[in-house]
Structures are given as C-alpha cells and as structure tokens.
Amino acid sequence: MSKIEEETEIADAPTVNNAPTVNNAPSVTKENDGEAAVTDALAVENVPELMVEALSAEHNAQRLSEAIKLPKRVAVYLVAAVYFVVGVLCVSITSYITVVLSYIVGAMLALVGAVGFVFSLVHRDYKSVKTNKIATFLLALGLGILIIFEEFDPKSDPIMLISIIWGVFGLFEGAHAFNHAITRIANSERCVYYIIKGIAECVVAFMMLYRPESHEAHFFHIVVFGISLIIDAVTMLPRVKQFLSKF
C-alpha cells in the first residue's frame, strides 16, 4: 500500500462523537461544524504527489499489469524498455526528436491521464471528497492534449511547455525522495540512495527549468529529458532497485 493510500484510509476512518457533554449541550456547534468541513476539505490527497505517481514509471507498470493481466515483473521490464528507448533516442538523435517530442510527451501524458481516469472510475474514487485522483488524471489528460495542440500553433512553443512541466514534476519527485530520506534518518535506516535520488531529480529539474523560453536551449533540454528517462528506466529494474535499497 502506498503512502497516499495509507493517508486516505486514515482520513476516511470514522470518528467517535459519543462523549457526553455538559448540560446536554450539543457536542459540535455550527461554528465547529464549519471548521470541521474546512478540515475535511484540506484532508484530501496531495495533488503534486498524485501527479508524481501518475507519471512514475513504476506506477505505470503496475497499472499496465492490472489492465492487461500481465505478470508484474514483465510489465516493469516493458515500461522500463519504453522509457529507456525514448531516453536513448532523445540523447542520440536530439535534432530529429525535436520534431516529434511534443507528440511523444503529449500522447504519453494523455494516455496516462485517460487510463488513470478509467481506473479511478472503476474504483469509484468519486465517492470520496478526500481523493483527487479523478481530477488529477483529468489534469494529466488535459496537459497532454494541450502539448499536442501547441505543436499546431506556429506562435506557441511546446518544447518550452514540456521543459516547464517536466521541470516542476522533477522538483516534486526530488521532494518525494528527500521526504523518504528524512523518514529513514528519523528511523535510523539507510538513506543514501534516496538522498542521491533527490539531489539528481532536483538538479535535472533545475536544468529543465533553465531558460525554458530559449530556442537555443531546447537541444540541451531534450538531452536532459532523455537522461531523466534513462535514469527512471534503470532504477526501476528489480535487481537494480534491490541493490540500491541496500544503501
């Protein structure tokens, strides 16, 4: 069970309000009812965390495994292969990838958003106000469509948008890794891998965000984007992940 799911279960747990009150006064005033409603509204899942999960290679492998009934290990290797191949192409034939990058990233975001939206409907996530999954996947779907449409607009720059989106998501991933590291430090556990991962994610993210409006920097952005995909592909492999977890 993921951290997000655990937090959702805790948030959904029923509260006991049977304690007697003085002079038979109501246990919760209207003002407190309003405060409780605000608290419930703020107790939803974190959207940045869900976006990181939506774009995570490992989570996408899990969804692929569930969708087409593939063994989990096979799905992991299949998704890792896709990420790795796209990453290598971005690094090796950057000038050619520039022409189709917006279609690749836009289609990937749209696919992840559409599949995640369907899964959320199947799991009836819409029944709880404490989950943002449906809205988050719709957001990913919308971003994918926007990137593709920008390719057809001569006044727009889809690569700049991709650089910004991937850079911001990279910062969220870095924060996610640092959060794991801090928790492990607090529990006297090994955390070198998560510290290195957090630093790497943040460095790549800042490189993606560096001068996103500059056409001269687009070549550089695509290379960095490819490196990011290769790192994601390699670190999600079971043996590599098991080895890195020892540090």
Side-chain angles (χ1 to χ4, degrees):
M1 181 182 295
S2 69
K3 177 184 174 184
I4 296 173
E5 290 170 339
E6 291 174 356
E7 290 173 352
T8 304
E9 285 197 356
I10 293 172
D12 285 334
T15 55
V16 179
N17 251 345
N18 295 326
T21 59
V22 179
N23 297 328
N24 294 321
S27 59
V28 181
T29 64
K30 289 184 178 180
E31 183 179 354
N32 288 338
D33 276 335
E35 292 176 357
V38 172
T39 302
D40 284 343
L42 295 175
V44 298
E45 293 169 328
N46 189 289
V47 173
E49 286 275 334
L50 286 175
M51 288 302 292
V52 169
E53 178 181 310
L55 296 176
S56 165
E58 293 188 58
H59 282 91
N60 287 328
Q62 176 67 35
R63 292 190 191 97
L64 179 65
S65 175
E66 294 174 2
I68 59 177
K69 307 302 180 185
L70 272 178
K72 176 67 183 297
R73 182 175 290 268
V74 175
V76 166
Y77 280 104
L78 186 59
V79 172
V82 172
Y83 272 60
F84 186 82
V85 169
V86 175
V88 169
L89 291 176
C90 287
V91 173
S92 60
I93 53 172
T94 310
S95 56
Y96 295 101
I97 289 296
T98 304
V99 181
V100 296
L101 181 66
S102 55
Y103 296 111
I104 295 173
V105 176
M108 183 175 67
L109 273 172
L111 180 62
V112 167
V115 172
F117 176 71
V118 171
F119 267 84
S120 295
L121 287 179
V122 171
H123 294 153
R124 298 184 178 182
D125 292 326
Y126 52 82
K127 288 197 169 184
S128 174
V129 73
K130 296 183 177 69
T131 177
N132 281 323
K133 286 186 177 180
I134 287 183
T136 301
F137 285 119
L138 281 176
L139 177 62
L141 175 61
L143 283 174
I145 294 172
L146 175 62
I147 290 172
I148 293 174
F149 267 93
E150 281 216 341
E151 181 64 31
F152 296 100
D153 185 353
K155 296 181 180 180
S156 298
D157 188 356
I159 295 181
M160 181 181 75
L161 180 60
I162 292 169
S163 298
I164 294 172
I165 291 173
W166 224 261
V168 172
F169 287 161
L171 291 178
F172 289 149
E173 284 202 62
H176 189 72
F178 283 131
N179 187 49
H180 275 284
I182 292 169
T183 302
R184 284 175 171 264
I185 290 171
N187 294 327
S188 300
E189 297 175 351
R190 295 174 180 175
C191 61
V192 175
Y193 165 66
Y194 287 103
I195 291 176
I196 294 175
K197 180 176 173 60
I199 293 173
E201 292 285 0
C202 288
V203 168
V204 170
F206 282 122
M207 292 170 72
M208 292 292 291
L209 292 170
Y210 174 69
R211 296 177 62 197
E213 78 291 347
S214 170
H215 286 269
E216 291 76 16
H218 285 348
F219 187 94
F220 169 75
H221 288 156
I222 295 174
V223 171
V224 173
F225 177 69
I227 293 172
S228 174
L229 292 180
I230 292 172
I231 292 173
D232 287 343
V234 173
T235 55
M236 74 178 288
L237 297 175
R239 290 188 179 180
V240 175
K241 189 176 179 181
Q242 184 179 9
F243 171 76
L244 293 174
S245 65
K246 297 177 182 178
F247 298 95

PDB file of all heavy atoms in Angstrom, residues 141-161:
ATOM      1  N   LEU A 141      -4.481  14.403 -18.553  1.00  0.00           N
ATOM      2  CA  LEU A 141      -5.065  14.269 -19.892  1.00  0.00           C
ATOM      3  C   LEU A 141      -5.108  15.622 -20.597  1.00  0.00           C
ATOM      4  O   LEU A 141      -4.739  15.747 -21.781  1.00  0.00           O
ATOM      5  CB  LEU A 141      -6.473  13.675 -19.779  1.00  0.00           C
ATOM      6  CG  LEU A 141      -7.283  13.571 -21.073  1.00  0.00           C
ATOM      7  CD1 LEU A 141      -6.587  12.668 -22.083  1.00  0.00           C
ATOM      8  CD2 LEU A 141      -8.686  13.049 -20.778  1.00  0.00           C
ATOM      9  N   GLY A 142      -5.544  16.662 -19.867  1.00  0.00           N
ATOM     10  CA  GLY A 142      -5.614  17.997 -20.442  1.00  0.00           C
ATOM     11  C   GLY A 142      -4.249  18.535 -20.840  1.00  0.00           C
ATOM     12  O   GLY A 142      -4.097  19.154 -21.904  1.00  0.00           O
ATOM     13  N   LEU A 143      -3.238  18.294 -20.007  1.00  0.00           N
ATOM     14  CA  LEU A 143      -1.880  18.740 -20.329  1.00  0.00           C
ATOM     15  C   LEU A 143      -1.357  18.059 -21.590  1.00  0.00           C
ATOM     16  O   LEU A 143      -0.712  18.687 -22.433  1.00  0.00           O
ATOM     17  CB  LEU A 143      -0.942  18.454 -19.151  1.00  0.00           C
ATOM     18  CG  LEU A 143      -1.018  19.401 -17.954  1.00  0.00           C
ATOM     19  CD1 LEU A 143      -0.144  18.894 -16.821  1.00  0.00           C
ATOM     20  CD2 LEU A 143      -0.602  20.809 -18.358  1.00  0.00           C
ATOM     21  N   GLY A 144      -1.642  16.769 -21.707  1.00  0.00           N
ATOM     22  CA  GLY A 144      -1.203  16.040 -22.903  1.00  0.00           C
ATOM     23  C   GLY A 144      -1.823  16.601 -24.165  1.00  0.00           C
ATOM     24  O   GLY A 144      -1.137  16.807 -25.183  1.00  0.00           O
ATOM     25  N   ILE A 145      -3.126  16.851 -24.107  1.00  0.00           N
ATOM     26  CA  ILE A 145      -3.820  17.418 -25.273  1.00  0.00           C
ATOM     27  C   ILE A 145      -3.295  18.816 -25.593  1.00  0.00           C
ATOM     28  O   ILE A 145      -3.097  19.172 -26.760  1.00  0.00           O
ATOM     29  CB  ILE A 145      -5.338  17.449 -25.012  1.00  0.00           C
ATOM     30  CG1 ILE A 145      -5.881  16.012 -24.906  1.00  0.00           C
ATOM     31  CG2 ILE A 145      -6.065  18.201 -26.125  1.00  0.00           C
ATOM     32  CD1 ILE A 145      -7.329  15.926 -24.473  1.00  0.00           C
ATOM     33  N   LEU A 146      -3.041  19.616 -24.542  1.00  0.00           N
ATOM     34  CA  LEU A 146      -2.526  20.970 -24.742  1.00  0.00           C
ATOM     35  C   LEU A 146      -1.173  20.958 -25.452  1.00  0.00           C
ATOM     36  O   LEU A 146      -0.926  21.748 -26.366  1.00  0.00           O
ATOM     37  CB  LEU A 146      -2.403  21.682 -23.395  1.00  0.00           C
ATOM     38  CG  LEU A 146      -1.761  23.081 -23.417  1.00  0.00           C
ATOM     39  CD1 LEU A 146      -2.607  24.032 -24.255  1.00  0.00           C
ATOM     40  CD2 LEU A 146      -1.584  23.605 -22.000  1.00  0.00           C
ATOM     41  N   ILE A 147      -0.284  20.054 -25.033  1.00  0.00           N
ATOM     42  CA  ILE A 147       1.039  19.963 -25.655  1.00  0.00           C
ATOM     43  C   ILE A 147       0.924  19.613 -27.135  1.00  0.00           C
ATOM     44  O   ILE A 147       1.616  20.189 -27.984  1.00  0.00           O
ATOM     45  CB  ILE A 147       1.903  18.919 -24.920  1.00  0.00           C
ATOM     46  CG1 ILE A 147       2.281  19.436 -23.523  1.00  0.00           C
ATOM     47  CG2 ILE A 147       3.170  18.596 -25.707  1.00  0.00           C
ATOM     48  CD1 ILE A 147       2.966  18.416 -22.649  1.00  0.00           C
ATOM     49  N   ILE A 148       0.033  18.681 -27.464  1.00  0.00           N
ATOM     50  CA  ILE A 148      -0.142  18.281 -28.866  1.00  0.00           C
ATOM     51  C   ILE A 148      -0.719  19.440 -29.684  1.00  0.00           C
ATOM     52  O   ILE A 148      -0.274  19.728 -30.803  1.00  0.00           O
ATOM     53  CB  ILE A 148      -1.049  17.044 -28.966  1.00  0.00           C
ATOM     54  CG1 ILE A 148      -0.346  15.827 -28.345  1.00  0.00           C
ATOM     55  CG2 ILE A 148      -1.399  16.746 -30.425  1.00  0.00           C
ATOM     56  CD1 ILE A 148      -1.207  14.589 -28.258  1.00  0.00           C
ATOM     57  N   PHE A 149      -1.712  20.143 -29.129  1.00  0.00           N
ATOM     58  CA  PHE A 149      -2.321  21.261 -29.856  1.00  0.00           C
ATOM     59  C   PHE A 149      -1.331  22.397 -30.067  1.00  0.00           C
ATOM     60  O   PHE A 149      -1.390  23.099 -31.086  1.00  0.00           O
ATOM     61  CB  PHE A 149      -3.550  21.766 -29.093  1.00  0.00           C
ATOM     62  CG  PHE A 149      -4.830  21.127 -29.541  1.00  0.00           C
ATOM     63  CD1 PHE A 149      -5.311  20.001 -28.897  1.00  0.00           C
ATOM     64  CD2 PHE A 149      -5.535  21.630 -30.631  1.00  0.00           C
ATOM     65  CE1 PHE A 149      -6.487  19.394 -29.317  1.00  0.00           C
ATOM     66  CE2 PHE A 149      -6.702  21.029 -31.061  1.00  0.00           C
ATOM     67  CZ  PHE A 149      -7.194  19.907 -30.407  1.00  0.00           C
ATOM     68  N   GLU A 150      -0.420  22.597 -29.102  1.00  0.00           N
ATOM     69  CA  GLU A 150       0.560  23.671 -29.249  1.00  0.00           C
ATOM     70  C   GLU A 150       1.486  23.421 -30.438  1.00  0.00           C
ATOM     71  O   GLU A 150       2.037  24.364 -31.009  1.00  0.00           O
ATOM     72  CB  GLU A 150       1.389  23.826 -27.961  1.00  0.00           C
ATOM     73  CG  GLU A 150       0.674  24.572 -26.858  1.00  0.00           C
ATOM     74  CD  GLU A 150       1.605  25.434 -26.047  1.00  0.00           C
ATOM     75  OE1 GLU A 150       2.823  25.192 -26.082  1.00  0.00           O
ATOM     76  OE2 GLU A 150       1.114  26.349 -25.374  1.00  0.00           O
ATOM     77  N   GLU A 151       1.662  22.170 -30.805  1.00  0.00           N
ATOM     78  CA  GLU A 151       2.514  21.845 -31.947  1.00  0.00           C
ATOM     79  C   GLU A 151       1.929  22.401 -33.248  1.00  0.00           C
ATOM     80  O   GLU A 151       2.666  22.725 -34.180  1.00  0.00           O
ATOM     81  CB  GLU A 151       2.680  20.317 -32.037  1.00  0.00           C
ATOM     82  CG  GLU A 151       3.561  19.844 -33.171  1.00  0.00           C
ATOM     83  CD  GLU A 151       5.006  20.301 -33.029  1.00  0.00           C
ATOM     84  OE1 GLU A 151       5.478  20.442 -31.876  1.00  0.00           O
ATOM     85  OE2 GLU A 151       5.662  20.512 -34.065  1.00  0.00           O
ATOM     86  N   PHE A 152       0.604  22.517 -33.285  1.00  0.00           N
ATOM     87  CA  PHE A 152      -0.052  23.014 -34.499  1.00  0.00           C
ATOM     88  C   PHE A 152      -0.160  24.541 -34.529  1.00  0.00           C
ATOM     89  O   PHE A 152      -0.552  25.107 -35.541  1.00  0.00           O
ATOM     90  CB  PHE A 152      -1.460  22.404 -34.620  1.00  0.00           C
ATOM     91  CG  PHE A 152      -1.458  20.918 -34.793  1.00  0.00           C
ATOM     92  CD1 PHE A 152      -1.710  20.082 -33.712  1.00  0.00           C
ATOM     93  CD2 PHE A 152      -1.190  20.340 -36.029  1.00  0.00           C
ATOM     94  CE1 PHE A 152      -1.720  18.696 -33.864  1.00  0.00           C
ATOM     95  CE2 PHE A 152      -1.195  18.971 -36.193  1.00  0.00           C
ATOM     96  CZ  PHE A 152      -1.450  18.145 -35.104  1.00  0.00           C
ATOM     97  N   ASP A 153       0.184  25.180 -33.426  1.00  0.00           N
ATOM     98  CA  ASP A 153       0.101  26.639 -33.355  1.00  0.00           C
ATOM     99  C   ASP A 153       1.491  27.229 -33.605  1.00  0.00           C
ATOM    100  O   ASP A 153       2.403  27.052 -32.800  1.00  0.00           O
ATOM    101  CB  ASP A 153      -0.402  27.068 -31.976  1.00  0.00           C
ATOM    102  CG  ASP A 153      -0.631  28.572 -31.884  1.00  0.00           C
ATOM    103  OD1 ASP A 153      -0.268  29.289 -32.840  1.00  0.00           O
ATOM    104  OD2 ASP A 153      -1.178  29.017 -30.862  1.00  0.00           O
ATOM    105  N   PRO A 154       1.682  27.923 -34.715  1.00  0.00           N
ATOM    106  CA  PRO A 154       3.027  28.456 -35.040  1.00  0.00           C
ATOM    107  C   PRO A 154       3.524  29.484 -34.027  1.00  0.00           C
ATOM    108  O   PRO A 154       4.724  29.734 -33.950  1.00  0.00           O
ATOM    109  CB  PRO A 154       2.821  29.094 -36.427  1.00  0.00           C
ATOM    110  CG  PRO A 154       1.354  29.346 -36.532  1.00  0.00           C
ATOM    111  CD  PRO A 154       0.693  28.261 -35.736  1.00  0.00           C
ATOM    112  N   LYS A 155       2.617  30.078 -33.256  1.00  0.00           N
ATOM    113  CA  LYS A 155       3.015  31.076 -32.281  1.00  0.00           C
ATOM    114  C   LYS A 155       3.379  30.468 -30.919  1.00  0.00           C
ATOM    115  O   LYS A 155       3.853  31.162 -30.029  1.00  0.00           O
ATOM    116  CB  LYS A 155       1.895  32.102 -32.090  1.00  0.00           C
ATOM    117  CG  LYS A 155       1.591  32.914 -33.336  1.00  0.00           C
ATOM    118  CD  LYS A 155       0.489  33.929 -33.068  1.00  0.00           C
ATOM    119  CE  LYS A 155       0.188  34.737 -34.324  1.00  0.00           C
ATOM    120  NZ  LYS A 155      -0.899  35.733 -34.083  1.00  0.00           N
ATOM    121  N   SER A 156       3.114  29.181 -30.743  1.00  0.00           N
ATOM    122  CA  SER A 156       3.379  28.508 -29.470  1.00  0.00           C
ATOM    123  C   SER A 156       4.674  27.723 -29.522  1.00  0.00           C
ATOM    124  O   SER A 156       5.191  27.415 -30.601  1.00  0.00           O
ATOM    125  CB  SER A 156       2.211  27.572 -29.115  1.00  0.00           C
ATOM    126  OG  SER A 156       1.022  28.297 -28.957  1.00  0.00           O
ATOM    127  N   ASP A 157       5.174  27.387 -28.351  1.00  0.00           N
ATOM    128  CA  ASP A 157       6.430  26.639 -28.244  1.00  0.00           C
ATOM    129  C   ASP A 157       6.223  25.446 -27.308  1.00  0.00           C
ATOM    130  O   ASP A 157       6.374  25.569 -26.094  1.00  0.00           O
ATOM    131  CB  ASP A 157       7.525  27.552 -27.702  1.00  0.00           C
ATOM    132  CG  ASP A 157       8.899  26.904 -27.753  1.00  0.00           C
ATOM    133  OD1 ASP A 157       8.971  25.717 -28.137  1.00  0.00           O
ATOM    134  OD2 ASP A 157       9.888  27.565 -27.417  1.00  0.00           O
ATOM    135  N   PRO A 158       5.824  24.289 -27.845  1.00  0.00           N
ATOM    136  CA  PRO A 158       5.533  23.133 -26.993  1.00  0.00           C
ATOM    137  C   PRO A 158       6.739  22.635 -26.204  1.00  0.00           C
ATOM    138  O   PRO A 158       6.586  22.112 -25.101  1.00  0.00           O
ATOM    139  CB  PRO A 158       5.039  22.071 -27.993  1.00  0.00           C
ATOM    140  CG  PRO A 158       5.579  22.503 -29.312  1.00  0.00           C
ATOM    141  CD  PRO A 158       5.619  23.989 -29.275  1.00  0.00           C
ATOM    142  N   ILE A 159       7.943  22.781 -26.740  1.00  0.00           N
ATOM    143  CA  ILE A 159       9.125  22.303 -26.017  1.00  0.00           C
ATOM    144  C   ILE A 159       9.353  23.131 -24.756  1.00  0.00           C
ATOM    145  O   ILE A 159       9.772  22.608 -23.720  1.00  0.00           O
ATOM    146  CB  ILE A 159      10.365  22.321 -26.928  1.00  0.00           C
ATOM    147  CG1 ILE A 159      10.176  21.318 -28.070  1.00  0.00           C
ATOM    148  CG2 ILE A 159      11.631  21.982 -26.137  1.00  0.00           C
ATOM    149  CD1 ILE A 159      11.346  21.226 -29.012  1.00  0.00           C
ATOM    150  N   MET A 160       9.046  24.426 -24.825  1.00  0.00           N
ATOM    151  CA  MET A 160       9.147  25.255 -23.632  1.00  0.00           C
ATOM    152  C   MET A 160       8.162  24.760 -22.571  1.00  0.00           C
ATOM    153  O   MET A 160       8.501  24.654 -21.385  1.00  0.00           O
ATOM    154  CB  MET A 160       8.862  26.718 -23.963  1.00  0.00           C
ATOM    155  CG  MET A 160       8.969  27.645 -22.767  1.00  0.00           C
ATOM    156  SD  MET A 160       8.615  29.378 -23.158  1.00  0.00           S
ATOM    157  CE  MET A 160       6.818  29.295 -23.310  1.00  0.00           C
ATOM    158  N   LEU A 161       6.946  24.433 -22.989  1.00  0.00           N
ATOM    159  CA  LEU A 161       5.935  23.933 -22.057  1.00  0.00           C
ATOM    160  C   LEU A 161       6.366  22.600 -21.454  1.00  0.00           C
ATOM    161  O   LEU A 161       6.219  22.372 -20.249  1.00  0.00           O
ATOM    162  CB  LEU A 161       4.593  23.769 -22.779  1.00  0.00           C
ATOM    163  CG  LEU A 161       3.415  23.247 -21.941  1.00  0.00           C
ATOM    164  CD1 LEU A 161       3.131  24.193 -20.778  1.00  0.00           C
ATOM    165  CD2 LEU A 161       2.168  23.085 -22.813  1.00  0.00           C
TER     166      LEU A 161
END
